[in-house]
Amino acid sequence: MTLFPEDGDRGVSPAIALYSILGFWLFYTMLVSLRAAVVGFESQMEMAARRMVVAIIGIIITWVLYLVLRRFDARPLALRIVAAFSLAAPFALAMAATNYYMFNVYDPTMFADAEMQKKAVEENYALISIVEDAISRFFFLSAWAGLYLALSYASEARRVERRAARLERAAQQAELRSLRYQVNPHFLFNTLNSLSSLVMKDRRDEAEQMIMSLSNFYRTSLTGDPLDDVPLAEEVHLQKLYLDIEGVRFPDRLKTVIDIPPALLTACVPGLILQPVVENAIKYGVSRTSRPVEIRITAREDGDLMHINVTDDGPNPPGDADGGNGIGLANVRDRLTARFGDSGRIVYGPREAGGFAVLLTLPILRKGC
C-alpha cells in the first residue's frame, strides 16, 4: 500500500486518514482512562465502557469531518486552513453533546455524589457543560485537522514531484529519440553518395552488393525501439554490416579489426552509438588516402565501467578546419550524457602514432537489453 494517492488524485488517501483518526482517538482514550484511574473515579468499568462508545462515535464524527475537508483539497491553501479550523468547531460541539449524553443523561445514577447531582439540575448546566467540553474538543479536532493539512500538503508536493519526474523522463526520452533518429539519415546520406559514385563509375556488381548490405543494415537497425539498449554484440554486428557497405566502396583500402572480450559482448549499449564514430573513421581516415587504413574496434572492462576504443591509422586525421556537416561525435556525446549522465563520456583526438582515436566510457549494464 502506498502512503499517498496516485498522481491523478489530490489530498490524503482514505486509508491514511483512517489510520490517523484511529491513532488520535486511541491516544485520547488511553490518556483519559489513565487520568480517571489516577483521580480514582468510581465505577471505572462503567465509565470505560461509555468512554469506548464516545470514542467510536468520535471516530465516526472525525471521519465525516475528513470527508468534508476532502472537498476543499483543490482549493488554495489559505482557504483550506480556514475551512479546517472553522469546521472543527461544529464537529467539536457534536462530540461534546455526545459525551454529555453518555455521562449525564443516559444513566445519571452512576454519579452518586450529592454535589454532582445538585449541579446537574441547575439551570443551563447542560449547555455550559457542553460548551466547556466543546472548547477542549475543538483543540483536539484542530490538532487532527492540522495533521490532515500537513499530510495533504505532503501528498500534493509528492504529486508535483512525480509529475515533474515524468515530464523530465519524457523530455529525456524525446531527446534520446531525436538524437537516435539523427543517425540514420546521416548514415543514409553518406551511403547514397557512395552508391551514386559506384553507379557513375558503372560498377554495377559493387552497387548491387552495397544495396543488399544497406538493406540488411536497415532491417537490423530499425527493428528496435530508439530508447532501448542493445547488447554490444548486436551493435558490433551492425558496424560490421556498415563496414561491409564501405568495403564495397574501398575494397583495397579498408581493413577492419574487432577485438572485444566475450564477457563484454553481453553488456548493454545505446543502439547505433558506434555508428557516427565508425563513419568518421571512414570519412577522415579511409577516404582521404590511397593507402590501406586499419579501423580497430576494441573494448575493455575497468571495474563497473566499459571502455570502447575506435581507432584508425589514417594519415590525415580531422583537424580544426574540419567542421563537418553531420552530427558526428557531438551526437555520441549528447546520447551518452542523456542516457548515463556523468557516467557516460567520450574522449577523442589525434594519435601520436598517426590516425585518430575515440574512447567511449559507459557503465557496464547487463539487464534491459
Side-chain angles (χ1 to χ4, degrees):
M1 182 195 68
T2 57
L3 291 181
F4 296 93
E6 294 302 322
D7 295 349
D9 300 328
R10 289 177 177 270
V12 181
S13 67
I16 297 302
L18 181 60
Y19 290 153
S20 67
I21 293 172
L22 292 176
F24 257 68
W25 276 100
L26 176 61
F27 176 76
Y28 172 80
T29 303
M30 292 175 58
L31 191 63
V32 174
S33 299
L34 180 62
R35 172 179 173 272
V38 171
V39 173
F41 289 149
E42 298 180 359
S43 305
Q44 289 288 333
M45 295 302 298
E46 176 67 20
M47 292 181 66
R50 299 190 187 197
R51 197 175 296 118
M52 290 301 299
V53 173
V54 172
I56 293 173
I57 296 175
I59 291 172
I60 296 173
I61 291 176
T62 312
W63 179 259
V64 175
L65 175 60
Y66 159 70
L67 296 178
V68 175
L69 291 179
R70 285 197 67 181
R71 303 178 67 88
F72 292 87
D73 284 342
R75 304 295 182 85
L77 180 60
L79 180 59
R80 292 161 61 187
I81 294 175
V82 172
F85 293 106
S86 298
L87 290 171
F91 283 92
L93 189 62
M95 289 170 53
T98 300
N99 187 75
Y100 181 83
Y101 174 83
M102 291 301 303
F103 284 93
N104 295 277
V105 178
Y106 174 69
D107 185 11
T109 57
M110 67 175 293
F111 299 106
D113 186 87
E115 186 176 352
M116 291 292 297
Q117 292 181 355
K118 180 180 179 181
K119 288 184 177 180
V121 298
E122 290 180 358
E123 186 178 3
N124 297 327
Y125 172 78
L127 179 60
I128 294 174
S129 297
I130 292 174
V131 171
E132 289 179 348
D133 191 28
I135 293 175
S136 63
R137 294 181 185 273
F138 171 78
F139 288 102
F140 173 83
L141 277 184
S142 295
W144 179 85
L147 174 64
Y148 173 82
L149 290 174
L151 292 173
S152 179
Y153 182 80
S155 174
E156 180 69 14
R158 286 177 61 90
R159 191 180 73 87
V160 172
E161 289 176 0
R162 286 193 293 267
R163 178 176 174 82
R166 284 202 314 271
L167 292 175
E168 183 178 357
R169 286 196 300 270
Q172 183 187 50
Q173 291 175 354
E175 180 183 6
L176 287 171
R177 284 194 176 96
S178 174
L179 293 170
R180 166 67 185 271
Y181 286 144
Q182 289 177 17
V183 174
N184 286 331
H186 182 264
F187 161 71
L188 181 60
F189 174 78
N190 289 341
T191 305
L192 290 178
N193 276 345
S194 300
L195 183 60
S196 174
S197 176
L198 293 176
V199 172
M200 293 293 292
K201 295 177 181 179
D202 198 24
R203 297 165 60 180
R204 298 181 182 179
D205 293 340
E206 291 90 337
E208 182 178 355
Q209 183 180 345
M210 181 176 285
I211 291 173
M212 293 301 299
S213 298
L214 180 63
S215 174
N216 291 333
F217 179 88
Y218 271 103
R219 184 183 299 112
T220 304
S221 64
L222 295 179
T223 54
D225 190 302
L227 298 179
D228 290 341
D229 294 338
V230 299
L232 181 57
E234 181 177 328
E235 177 67 12
V236 170
H237 174 66
L238 282 173
Q239 299 316 308
K240 287 181 179 178
L241 291 176
Y242 169 69
L243 290 170
D244 288 342
I245 295 172
E246 294 295 347
V248 176
R249 182 183 174 193
F250 306 108
D252 301 323
R253 276 187 275 170
L254 177 58
K255 294 183 179 181
T256 303
V257 175
I258 297 177
D259 183 16
I260 298 177
L264 289 180
L265 291 175
T266 58
C268 301
V269 298
L272 293 180
I273 194 66
L274 296 179
Q275 184 63 40
V277 181
V278 177
E279 281 190 51
N280 274 10
I282 295 291
K283 179 178 179 181
Y284 298 109
V286 180
S287 65
R288 286 183 168 185
T289 183
S290 58
R291 71 168 178 81
V293 173
E294 180 182 88
I295 295 178
R296 181 180 292 267
I297 302 175
T298 61
R300 64 181 178 88
E301 185 173 348
D302 180 17
D304 295 333
L305 298 176
M306 173 172 55
H307 302 289
I308 303 175
N309 205 15
V310 180
T311 63
D312 69 77
D313 57 0
N316 301 303
D320 295 337
D322 296 307
N325 58 359
I327 54 171
L329 302 181
N331 175 278
V332 177
R333 180 198 61 221
D334 293 343
R335 290 184 66 193
L336 289 175
T337 301
R339 175 64 179 86
F340 301 111
D342 294 336
S343 299
R345 301 184 298 276
I346 180 173
V347 179
Y348 52 86
R351 302 168 62 198
E352 292 184 2
F356 198 77
V358 178
L359 177 64
L360 278 64
T361 301
L362 57 157
I364 297 179
L365 305 175
R366 288 189 167 89
K367 293 183 180 180
C369 65

